[in-house]
Amino acid sequence: MEGVEMETARPVQHSGDDFCAAVISQFSNRSNEHHTHVCNSIGTMSQELIDLNLPRTAAVYFRVTCSSLDRLSSSTDAAGHLIDAMLTILSLVVDRYPLSALKTQHAYLSELLTRVLRIKSIGVDGLVPAIKCISRLLIVSEKAGWEDVAQLYGFLVSYMTDDRPKVRKQSHLYLREVLQYFQSAPVLAPASETITNVLERFLLIAGGSKENVSEEPKGAQELLYILDALKICLPYMSSKSSTTILNYFKTLLQLRYPMITRRISDGLNAMCLHSVGELSAEVLVDLLCSLATSVSSDESSGDSITFTCRLLDTGMKKVYSLDRQICVVKLPVVFSALQDVLVSEHEEALVAAVATFKSLIDSCIDESLIKQGVDEITVGANSGPRKSGSVIEKVCATVESLLSYHYEAVLDMSFQIVSTMFDKLGKYSSYFLKKTLESLAEMQNSPDGDVTFRKQLHECIGTALGAMGPENFLSVLPLKLEAEDLTESNHWLFPILKQYTVGADLNFFTTLILPMVGKMKRKSAVLQQEGKTYSARSADGIVYSLWSLLPSFCNYPVDTAESFKGLKIELCTALKEEPDVRGIICSSLQILIQQNKRILEGKENTPNTEIGISEKRAIALYTAEVAGSNLTTLKSSARDLLVVLTGVYSESSKETGGILLSAISELASISDKKVVTLFFKKTMQNLLKLTKEAGIQRNSSKSDSMQIDNSSHEDSLSTARAQLFDLAVSFLPGLNCEEIDVLFVAAENVLKDTDGLIQKKAYRVLSLIFQHSDDYISRNLEKVLSLMIEVLPSCHFSAKRYRLDCLYFLIIHVSKEGSEQRRQEITASFLTEIVLALKEANKKTRNRAYEILVQIGHACGDEEKGGQKEKLAHFFNMVAGGLAGETPHMISAAMTGLARLAYEFSDLVSAAYNVLPSTFLLLQRKNKEIVKANLGLLKVLVAKSQAESLQTHLRSMVEGLLNWQDSTKNHFKAKVKLLLEMLVKKCGLNAVTEVMPEEHMKLLKNIRKLKERKEKKRSAKSVEDKSVISKATTSRSRWNHTKIFSDFGDDEEMNSDDEFEDKNSISTRRTKYSSALQSKATMLRTKRTRKAAKSLQEDSFDQLDDEPLDLLDRQKTRSALRSSQLVNKKPDSDDDEPFLDSEGRIVVQEDGKYKKLDRKKKREMPSDETDELDGRRSEAGSHLSRNTQKRRRTSESGYAYTGKEYSSKKAGGDVMRKDKLEPYAYWPLDHKMVSRRPEHRAAARKGMSSVVQLAKKLQGRSVASALSVNGVLRGKGKKKGNQKKR
């Protein structure tokens, strides 16, 4: 090691006998002359100790080295390289010398080093270890007096400005180390003052050298060296010296020299981050303000602006911790400087400025500052106008100005800052940011092209809503529903109100929103009477939108206990009279009950979900006492709500019944037990009555075979019984043990019912009982097990899913509380049924079987839940036992289950390899179902295994696949090829080539060519696309039965990377990818875009009245800026606007792009033409093949403008139109004209020549008629050709 690394690195500790060997090994670079001298010196020294029979300990080496240096310092002609070598050895032995002994030798060693350092022949290789020895002596003498260390410390400080970089750098580092050890010692003050004196001296030298301009300034370079030292030493100096130096920094900043400014900024940053002493808040904030005001995008570089922004962040936080009042007063200055940075051209500086804005808003604006501003505004409103605003008002004015046209290009960043300010101010935002909210609404009401960041704008407005609350928010931005024309209302607020309302008042909804509902209903009725159907429907839509705000108002409301009773009356009325809003009301009730129950139970409200500041603020108000009070109020109103809900449920449809039952279940969980019992008994009585009626109906149908079929009555009875089963089980959370027994008996009696719907509902009842009541299973385990086995033969296919749920809860219960043997017995008794369910045709049943299989595996293998890996392996073997089944159905189901388990549990992949011999044997069977399942297992193994594991089984897998491929199962050849591609991707082409039989090398060659083709296409893409592709392919995918066990002939075009992806996951990734690209594109703005946004291009649009642009009019200014940036768009004609009739239906004009075929005309058309038209429609709506799409792209490559508007109804040619160009038309050009193939270009030229020839024949006709004739001629030509062929 050499140079700095050699001197700063602490060598490995050795005993005294090994010291010589350690030094030689450390300085083993023979090409370095200094290393050679060190090795020679330590070797000579060690040999002398051996000759003198002295112990080679650290103490002996220390004394020998000191005596050698003493002798060399006394000599007048001592060689410099010897002194360097001895100083290096001394610095190494000092680390091994005991501290107590070093303290005793302090005076002697100090005097020795003083004499040695005065020798002029000493070099850099000697000075660096000498400085290290000085720092060690200063550290061990930290409690000594200043007189004892002043001389050595002076030597250390003198090297701060040394011209040799290595010496200077080491002196800075060791000076910081010494100051750190001096923190609690009395010598810290004089040590810090020494550094201050050095700075003052060079400041005077540099300042006095300005008189002679021709000469180079004296002391300037040394001043920079001192500033470099202060960058790391300033945080550890005394308070007095730090304050003095900060004052000097303020003077130096006025010079505006970048080299000085950057060093001062580094020093201030280090002081703010690592300062251990007291600082002067006034001096520090003055320096920060000086730096802030010096920030200019024209004069400073991007790096300096970025660093200054970050320094302002850490610095103002430090000032706030030292003196809050001083920090608060200077906040407007800092915010104004950051505001200027936002118009700079440096992207990194923009990001840093936004981060500093948000950080300072969160850290330096506190509750007292906000309340002080509110008090001043309140007093000013009563006493009259004020001369100047408060600090918080000035800060808010700066934030509001970020929405002006100057910041058009960075509006997304401005929205972030404004949102942070809204969150910080909370409910007081209405005092300070009212105009800001109005500006945001003004942007929203501007045309779509005028706001680039519409989504971010909505998020910012939503943040304002969450902070202010809906009452204050709507007082600033009213909905304006009283307007005659509803299009003038602020209906765009409804989605924002629905998404961002939290912590609102239920009383506000009752007193303000519900009256709006009544007004809009009356308005709709009036409009309907006037025949304005479209407007009436718009009013009805607003009614629904107003009701849709109820769930948001029920999201942690602040007055549930006080205001819910008043709201309950309105809810009951709406449930009875308005079916459309029943789902909204039920969802709102669930939200209210669930949130309060979670708070009372101490559960996490939103696990694994990030919540906003407004929601955190609302949740903080919900204590256990508040939640208990809210539930008491809800409990008192539960009876009335249950009466209405149960009454409405009997009249509800299948679509709305589910949400009603969920609300009933939640109310039952908090209601009084007597109330729930009353409703439950009534429901069971009705169920018993209908059951008896159904039995009588069934018996009468059997006895009288000649009776007229009354299946409709039986269906209605079945539906009614099913509804009552659902209603009864919805009361389950509020039932006691006896009532649960009654419910179980009722379900048990119909488990063998021939009606599939009733049987399905009965199994659902049992599954819910087992899920919510472990106690019931414990009391009736044997009875339940025997019942499940008894009713298995009569289980309807529609009830399979809920039966699987029952089996799952039974197995999980036994695995928790039963013995190991008992668990295995019960699992084995039901496992065959679960495995066979994997082959069910019903998708929901099949997916549920997969879920149960995986959940049982987790219960067996998860150590956190008491599982063990041995249990998981045993469960896997139990599933594998199905491979010995007699039927292909059972074998394929077992193989499917093994594939699912291997996919879910990586520990089972090795166990799955044991099934490979059976897999290859089963592939030889001529059964499509078995082959499909086996190939699915192989696909899972290849996808989930590491390359090393695959290498072991590669030969057997390849041979097994290819031997099977030679059979008659051509249907699966594409799948085999895909598996081989996956093996090539995992193990490499060379590895697969080694095990590939010779007769199948053509297949491998084809795979290699396809791979190379894909790589070429991928390499043609940008780097950005490559990174996204890699992310998409490496992320974990979800299980997809269809992709793995599909018909393999459909997999020819399936990429192996997408093998386990389902459509939802792919679309989700694409959405995330597109949003990521959009956000990235938003951040990466070009310099040209910002300059265009900042400049006003007044000559880019017409000023009809020659009026100057009013820069104070924000709307006009924004429009002016946007008009210069808008991309040329296709002008919208008035004909494109839909025409509505009196009923509100869209009327399609005859001359429009799409014509509506009249039914009468269709009836009158010949059958051939009608079939042709229907065929065209079906073709347009069906999935097109790749060749069809290619032909369509070829035929539609050109754009044809027919010139129909110039055709005349009376004459044969074109006519001139007023305010129009001369008649013209566009003929579509064929893209084959630019094709590389000669035959394509020849065909295109031939087509163009036919156009020219045809033009002569059609001279005098209109363009529209010419085009129609052209089509007729082509059709005739085709007919003739067909006739000739015939």
Side-chain angles (χ1 to χ4, degrees):
M1 299 175 66
E2 48 183 28
V4 178
E5 294 180 358
M6 176 196 74
E7 311 307 338
T8 57
R10 182 180 290 271
V12 182
Q13 295 289 336
H14 294 274
S15 63
D17 294 339
D18 297 332
F19 177 70
C20 176
V23 173
I24 292 174
S25 64
Q26 184 175 351
F27 294 87
S28 58
N29 187 1
R30 292 297 178 181
S31 61
N32 189 311
E33 186 177 355
H34 175 64
H35 284 205
T36 304
H37 294 315
V38 171
C39 293
N40 293 337
S41 299
I42 192 67
T44 303
M45 194 181 301
S46 178
Q47 186 62 41
E48 289 181 357
L49 292 177
I50 294 173
D51 295 341
L52 295 174
N53 199 18
L54 293 175
R56 289 174 293 168
T57 61
V60 174
Y61 276 110
F62 177 77
R63 288 195 294 270
V64 172
T65 305
C66 289
S67 63
S68 299
L69 282 172
D70 192 5
R71 184 174 61 255
L72 290 171
S73 63
S74 303
S75 175
T76 56
D77 55 348
H81 64 272
L82 291 178
I83 299 176
D84 295 345
M86 299 310 295
L87 285 172
T88 301
I89 296 173
L90 179 63
S91 67
L92 295 174
V93 77
V94 161
D95 290 334
R96 295 160 175 78
Y97 202 59
L99 290 178
S100 57
L102 192 60
K103 289 181 180 180
T104 59
Q105 299 290 333
H106 178 270
Y108 166 72
L109 193 56
S110 299
E111 190 271 335
L112 175 63
L113 287 174
T114 302
R115 283 190 286 112
V116 170
L117 290 175
R118 287 173 179 165
I119 301 175
K120 295 182 180 180
S121 60
I122 188 172
V124 174
D125 294 327
L127 284 176
V128 171
I131 292 173
K132 178 182 176 181
C133 294
I134 291 175
S135 67
R136 294 291 178 268
L137 287 176
L138 292 173
I139 289 171
V140 299
S141 60
E142 54 178 321
K143 296 183 180 179
W146 175 245
E147 296 81 6
D148 299 329
V149 299
Q151 190 174 12
L152 277 180
Y153 187 79
F155 273 107
L156 185 59
V157 171
S158 65
Y159 290 116
M160 280 199 313
T161 57
D162 196 277
D163 292 334
R164 292 160 290 190
K166 190 183 298 185
V167 176
R168 185 175 64 252
K169 183 176 180 180
Q170 289 300 306
S171 69
H172 294 172
L173 294 175
Y174 287 120
L175 183 60
R176 178 186 62 180
E177 186 177 356
V178 170
L179 290 174
Q180 286 177 332
Y181 278 94
F182 280 0
Q183 287 302 309
S184 57
V187 295
L188 177 63
S192 302
E193 189 176 353
T194 303
I195 300 176
T196 307
N197 294 335
V198 174
L199 175 63
E200 291 174 348
R201 180 162 58 89
F202 283 102
L203 279 174
L204 292 174
I205 295 173
S209 64
K210 292 181 181 180
E211 297 177 358
N212 193 350
V213 181
S214 61
E215 296 181 4
E216 185 178 351
K218 298 179 180 178
Q221 189 63 48
E222 288 78 2
L223 181 61
L224 293 178
Y225 294 156
I226 297 174
L227 292 177
D228 286 333
L230 290 175
K231 287 194 299 186
I232 60 175
C233 298
L234 187 58
Y236 308 101
M237 296 176 64
S238 64
S239 302
K240 181 180 178 181
S241 298
S242 299
T243 304
T244 304
I245 291 175
L246 289 179
N247 286 321
Y248 286 129
F249 279 179
K250 187 176 180 181
T251 305
L252 290 172
L253 280 177
Q254 297 175 1
L255 299 176
R256 299 296 178 91
Y257 289 155
M259 298 176 65
I260 295 179
T261 302
R262 184 55 189 266
R263 285 168 170 80
I264 292 176
S265 300
D266 292 339
L268 289 176
N269 188 56
M271 173 173 281
C272 295
L273 291 175
H274 308 294
S275 179
V276 295
E278 293 293 332
L279 294 176
S280 173
E282 295 181 1
V283 178
L284 181 57
V285 79
D286 286 342
L287 275 171
L288 293 173
C289 290
S290 299
L291 284 172
T293 54
S294 66
V295 172
S296 172
S297 59
D298 296 329
E299 299 177 4
S300 303
S301 64
D303 292 339
S304 63
I305 298 175
T306 303
F307 188 82
T308 303
C309 291
R310 293 170 181 167
L311 175 59
L312 290 175
D313 183 15
T314 56
M316 292 303 291
K317 288 179 182 178
K318 185 68 175 180
V319 175
Y320 184 84
S321 64
L322 296 173
D323 192 325
R324 172 193 168 277
Q325 187 59 35
I326 294 177
C327 175
V328 164
V329 171
K330 295 295 183 179
L331 275 181
V333 178
V334 176
F335 274 50
S336 178
L338 294 172
Q339 179 187 11
D340 295 336
V341 176
L342 288 180
V343 295
S344 69
E345 302 170 356
H346 309 289
E347 192 70 33
E348 190 177 359
L350 288 175
V351 176
V354 173
T356 303
F357 253 122
K358 296 162 69 174
S359 178
L360 293 182
I361 289 173
D362 289 332
S363 304
C364 300
I365 297 179
D366 51 23
E367 192 76 16
S368 60
L369 180 62
I370 298 172
K371 290 183 176 179
Q372 180 183 353
V374 172
D375 294 339
E376 291 187 17
I377 292 175
T378 306
V379 173
N382 299 327
S383 61
R386 294 172 294 158
K387 294 182 179 180
S388 61
S390 59
V391 173
I392 187 65
E393 288 180 272
K394 294 178 182 177
V395 170
C396 291
T398 302
V399 172
E400 181 184 351
S401 66
L402 298 179
L403 301 177
S404 64
Y405 68 88
H406 295 289
Y407 308 95
E408 189 80 21
V410 291
L411 269 181
D412 57 331
M413 296 183 173
S414 300
F415 290 149
Q416 294 180 35
I417 299 169
V418 173
S419 298
T420 306
M421 182 59 78
F422 270 116
D423 280 330
K424 189 64 180 181
L425 296 177
K427 60 183 180 180
Y428 300 110
S429 301
S430 57
Y431 289 95
F432 305 105
L433 297 177
K434 181 178 180 180
K435 292 183 179 179
T436 304
L437 183 56
E438 293 173 351
S439 300
L440 293 172
E442 201 175 297
M443 290 184 182
Q444 168 61 32
N445 293 326
S446 61
D448 290 338
D450 286 358
V451 180
T452 310
F453 309 102
R454 183 76 64 176
K455 180 182 178 182
Q456 291 85 344
L457 172 62
H458 289 176
E459 292 175 354
C460 186
I461 297 176
T463 304
L465 169 62
M468 300 172 68
E471 186 171 359
N472 293 328
F473 181 83
L474 290 177
S475 65
V476 180
L477 296 180
L479 292 171
K480 297 182 181 180
L481 299 180
E482 64 279 359
E484 289 294 330
D485 187 1
L486 292 178
T487 58
E488 297 177 359
S489 63
N490 290 330
H491 56 275
W492 57 270
L493 286 174
F494 283 118
I496 297 175
L497 287 167
K498 187 176 180 180
Q499 182 177 356
Y500 293 96
T501 299
V502 62
D505 294 335
L506 290 177
N507 183 54
F508 178 74
F509 185 86
T510 307
T511 57
L512 185 69
I513 303 298
L514 289 180
M516 290 184 187
V517 173
K519 291 179 182 178
M520 294 309 299
K521 285 182 181 178
R522 292 189 291 272
K523 189 169 186 176
S524 174
V526 172
L527 291 171
Q528 192 71 39
Q529 292 177 358
E530 294 176 355
K532 299 179 180 179
T533 308
Y534 179 74
S535 300
R537 291 178 182 176
S538 299
D540 292 337
I542 291 178
V543 169
Y544 186 83
S545 298
L546 289 169
W547 270 112
S548 66
L549 301 180
L550 180 59
S552 302
F553 276 85
C554 292
N555 188 17
Y556 296 104
V558 296
D559 60 341
T560 304
E562 297 81 10
S563 304
F564 183 77
K565 290 185 178 180
L567 179 61
K568 178 197 68 174
I569 302 172
E570 301 290 341
L571 297 183
C572 292
T573 304
L575 285 170
K576 295 176 183 177
E577 300 176 356
E578 302 182 42
D580 293 340
V581 300
R582 287 173 183 170
I584 295 174
I585 295 174
C586 291
S587 299
S588 305
L589 292 174
Q590 289 183 72
I591 292 171
L592 270 178
I593 297 171
Q594 290 172 0
Q595 287 179 348
N596 285 281
K597 283 168 63 177
R598 283 199 299 265
I599 294 294
L600 200 61
E601 295 169 2
K603 295 182 180 178
E604 189 177 355
N605 289 280
T606 51
N608 302 324
T609 306
E610 293 185 4
I611 58 177
I613 295 177
S614 300
E615 191 168 356
K616 290 180 181 178
R617 191 183 295 119
I619 295 174
L621 299 176
Y622 265 62
T623 60
E625 292 78 13
V626 173
S629 177
N630 293 342
L631 287 176
T632 302
T633 302
L634 293 171
K635 182 178 179 180
S636 64
S637 304
R639 181 187 179 90
D640 297 335
L641 290 169
L642 284 173
V643 170
V644 178
L645 288 171
T646 52
V648 168
Y649 174 71
S650 60
E651 307 170 358
S652 65
S653 62
K654 182 180 178 181
E655 289 76 16
T656 59
I659 189 65
L660 292 171
L661 291 175
S662 300
I664 292 172
S665 180
E666 291 294 340
L667 288 169
S669 66
I670 64 169
S671 299
D672 187 50
K673 296 295 182 183
K674 296 180 180 179
V675 174
V676 179
T677 301
L678 181 64
F679 282 98
F680 177 72
K681 287 183 177 179
K682 183 179 179 181
T683 304
M684 296 305 295
Q685 290 172 358
N686 294 333
L687 178 60
L688 179 61
K689 179 180 177 181
L690 290 180
T691 304
K692 290 180 179 180
E693 186 178 346
I696 295 172
Q697 184 72 32
R698 190 179 297 113
N699 293 332
S700 62
S701 300
K702 291 180 181 179
S703 60
D704 190 359
S705 59
M706 299 299 293
Q707 186 178 2
I708 299 174
D709 185 20
N710 56 353
S711 59
S712 60
H713 182 60
E714 292 181 1
D715 291 342
S716 62
L717 278 177
S718 177
T719 304
R721 291 172 64 195
Q723 282 187 335
L724 289 176
F725 267 115
D726 287 336
L727 182 59
V729 79
S730 66
F731 295 114
L732 183 61
L735 299 180
N736 54 34
C737 296
E738 293 79 9
E739 292 160 350
I740 293 177
D741 291 338
V742 173
L743 183 61
F744 180 83
V745 171
E748 179 185 7
N749 293 333
V750 294
L751 285 178
K752 295 183 180 180
D753 199 302
T754 56
D755 190 342
L757 178 60
I758 300 301
Q759 196 179 122
K760 176 181 176 181
K761 297 300 180 181
Y763 273 111
R764 179 176 180 271
V765 169
L766 293 185
S767 67
L768 291 175
I769 291 176
F770 296 162
Q771 181 181 2
H772 292 94
S773 179
D774 275 345
D775 180 62
Y776 184 86
I777 301 178
S778 301
R779 289 186 289 107
N780 304 278
L781 181 59
E782 298 299 331
K783 175 184 176 181
V784 170
L785 292 175
S786 60
L787 176 65
M788 289 292 104
I789 297 174
E790 178 186 351
V791 298
L792 174 60
S794 58
C795 180
H796 196 268
F797 68 89
S798 63
K800 276 282 187 182
R801 178 161 60 100
Y802 293 113
R803 176 177 171 83
L804 290 174
D805 287 338
C806 296
L807 299 181
Y808 167 70
F809 293 123
L810 289 175
I811 293 173
I812 294 300
H813 175 79
V814 174
S815 64
K816 290 180 181 178
E817 301 183 2
S819 62
E820 181 65 21
Q821 182 180 359
R822 183 65 169 161
R823 183 188 66 81
Q824 293 182 8
E825 292 175 357
I826 294 176
T827 303
S829 60
F830 295 124
L831 185 60
T832 303
E833 182 180 355
I834 296 173
V835 171
L836 284 173
L838 298 175
K839 304 292 292 183
E840 284 287 334
N842 185 279
K843 184 179 179 180
K844 291 182 179 179
T845 304
R846 188 173 66 242
N847 290 340
R848 187 59 184 140
Y850 278 124
E851 292 173 4
I852 290 174
L853 198 68
V854 170
Q855 288 168 348
I856 295 175
H858 281 293
C860 295
D862 289 354
E863 297 180 357
E864 299 176 356
K865 301 178 181 179
Q868 298 176 358
K869 292 184 179 180
E870 293 77 11
K871 293 181 181 179
L872 179 61
H874 180 71
F875 176 66
F876 182 82
N877 293 331
M878 292 174 65
V879 177
L883 297 178
E886 298 179 357
T887 62
H889 192 70
M890 182 64 204
I891 295 173
S892 63
M895 193 64 71
T896 302
L898 294 177
R900 182 66 184 97
L901 291 174
Y903 180 83
E904 183 70 22
F905 303 97
S906 57
D907 296 334
L908 295 178
V909 174
S910 58
Y913 276 113
N914 299 329
V915 192
L916 276 182
S918 302
T919 302
F920 297 135
L921 288 176
L922 291 172
L923 281 176
Q924 306 302 324
R925 291 199 182 188
K926 298 181 179 181
N927 186 280
K928 180 180 176 181
E929 190 176 9
I930 295 177
V931 170
K932 186 190 298 185
N934 279 276
L935 291 179
L937 176 62
L938 289 175
K939 186 189 294 187
V940 170
L941 288 178
V942 174
K944 299 293 290 184
S945 300
Q946 299 295 330
E948 294 78 10
S949 303
L950 282 175
Q951 293 282 359
T952 308
H953 305 276
L954 186 60
R955 182 177 294 277
S956 60
M957 292 182 74
V958 172
E959 291 178 353
L961 287 172
L962 295 175
N963 290 337
W964 170 82
Q965 194 192 19
D966 291 335
S967 67
T968 58
K969 300 298 182 181
N970 294 327
H971 185 67
F972 299 103
K973 279 190 175 182
K975 189 61 178 179
V976 173
K977 181 180 178 182
L978 184 59
L979 282 171
L980 290 174
E981 290 178 357
M982 295 173 66
L983 287 172
V984 169
K985 187 174 181 180
K986 274 288 182 77
C987 302
L989 185 63
N990 295 332
V992 179
T993 305
E994 292 178 0
V995 299
M996 179 73 76
E998 189 64 31
E999 60 270 19
H1000 297 287
M1001 291 303 292
K1002 289 184 179 180
L1003 176 61
L1004 192 62
K1005 184 178 180 181
N1006 178 259
I1007 293 174
R1008 178 180 59 80
K1009 288 183 177 180
L1010 290 176
K1011 183 181 178 183
E1012 291 175 353
R1013 192 176 303 164
K1014 289 179 182 179
E1015 289 177 353
K1016 287 182 180 179
K1017 290 182 179 179
R1018 193 172 299 172
S1019 61
K1021 295 182 179 180
S1022 62
V1023 179
E1024 207 169 286
D1025 293 339
K1026 287 181 182 178
S1027 62
V1028 173
I1029 291 172
S1030 63
K1031 289 179 183 177
T1033 55
T1034 56
S1035 58
R1036 179 177 174 82
S1037 58
R1038 293 184 291 178
W1039 173 264
N1040 192 334
H1041 169 90
T1042 307
K1043 291 289 185 184
I1044 297 177
F1045 302 109
S1046 61
D1047 289 339
F1048 305 108
D1050 301 334
D1051 288 338
E1052 293 184 18
E1053 298 181 9
M1054 184 188 303
N1055 192 345
S1056 61
D1057 295 338
D1058 302 331
E1059 202 63 38
F1060 304 106
E1061 301 293 341
D1062 55 5
K1063 294 180 180 179
N1064 294 332
S1065 62
I1066 291 175
S1067 62
T1068 303
R1069 277 194 196 129
R1070 287 177 179 170
T1071 304
K1072 291 180 179 178
Y1073 167 46
S1074 61
S1075 62
L1077 289 183
Q1078 288 176 1
S1079 62
K1080 191 170 184 180
T1082 300
M1083 295 297 295
L1084 299 176
R1085 299 172 185 83
T1086 61
K1087 184 186 300 184
R1088 184 181 304 172
T1089 304
R1090 290 201 189 90
K1091 287 186 177 179
K1094 288 186 287 184
S1095 61
L1096 291 176
Q1097 301 180 5
E1098 297 181 345
D1099 50 354
S1100 62
F1101 56 92
D1102 297 332
Q1103 298 191 15
L1104 300 178
D1105 300 330
D1106 294 332
E1107 294 181 359
L1109 179 64
D1110 186 5
L1111 296 178
L1112 297 180
D1113 191 331
R1114 181 176 298 173
Q1115 189 71 24
K1116 290 183 179 180
T1117 306
R1118 188 177 290 114
S1119 300
L1121 288 170
R1122 275 294 168 191
S1123 64
S1124 64
Q1125 298 175 10
L1126 288 178
V1127 183
N1128 293 330
K1129 295 182 179 179
K1130 186 177 178 180
D1132 298 330
S1133 61
D1134 296 337
D1135 298 336
D1136 292 338
E1137 297 183 2
F1139 176 76
L1140 304 177
D1141 64 1
S1142 59
E1143 294 297 324
R1145 293 177 296 213
I1146 298 178
V1147 178
V1148 181
Q1149 303 293 335
E1150 271 306 312
D1151 56 349
K1153 186 175 180 181
Y1154 302 102
K1155 297 182 179 180
K1156 186 176 180 181
L1157 183 65
D1158 190 53
R1159 294 182 181 178
K1160 293 182 180 179
K1161 291 182 180 180
K1162 186 175 180 180
R1163 291 196 202 101
E1164 296 172 0
M1165 290 173 62
S1167 60
D1168 296 342
E1169 296 181 15
T1170 307
D1171 294 340
E1172 182 181 357
L1173 179 63
D1174 294 337
R1176 290 175 186 170
R1177 290 179 178 175
S1178 62
E1179 181 183 358
S1182 64
H1183 177 70
L1184 297 176
S1185 65
R1186 186 179 300 176
N1187 294 332
T1188 307
Q1189 292 177 358
K1190 186 174 181 180
R1191 289 195 298 270
R1192 175 171 292 185
R1193 286 196 297 269
T1194 303
S1195 62
E1196 296 178 358
S1197 60
Y1199 173 74
Y1201 176 73
T1202 61
K1204 186 175 182 180
E1205 59 186 84
Y1206 296 106
S1207 61
S1208 175
K1209 296 180 180 178
K1210 300 179 181 179
D1214 294 329
V1215 295
M1216 296 288 293
R1217 298 293 185 188
K1218 187 178 180 180
D1219 297 331
K1220 295 284 185 180
L1221 299 173
E1222 292 184 4
Y1224 69 97
Y1226 288 138
W1227 282 88
L1229 296 178
D1230 197 339
H1231 68 274
K1232 292 180 181 178
M1233 293 287 290
V1234 294
S1235 175
R1236 295 182 179 178
R1237 298 185 179 181
E1239 59 269 20
H1240 285 182
R1241 293 198 298 271
R1245 285 194 296 269
K1246 183 178 180 181
M1248 185 59 70
S1249 63
S1250 65
V1251 171
V1252 176
Q1253 294 173 5
L1254 187 62
K1256 298 178 180 178
K1257 298 179 181 181
L1258 301 177
Q1259 190 171 5
R1261 292 177 177 268
S1262 66
V1263 177
S1265 61
L1267 288 175
S1268 62
V1269 170
N1270 185 22
V1272 172
L1273 292 175
R1274 290 181 181 175
K1276 289 181 179 179
K1278 289 182 181 179
K1279 268 189 178 180
K1280 291 178 180 178
N1282 294 335
Q1283 289 174 1
K1284 288 179 181 179
K1285 288 180 181 179
R1286 290 178 185 175

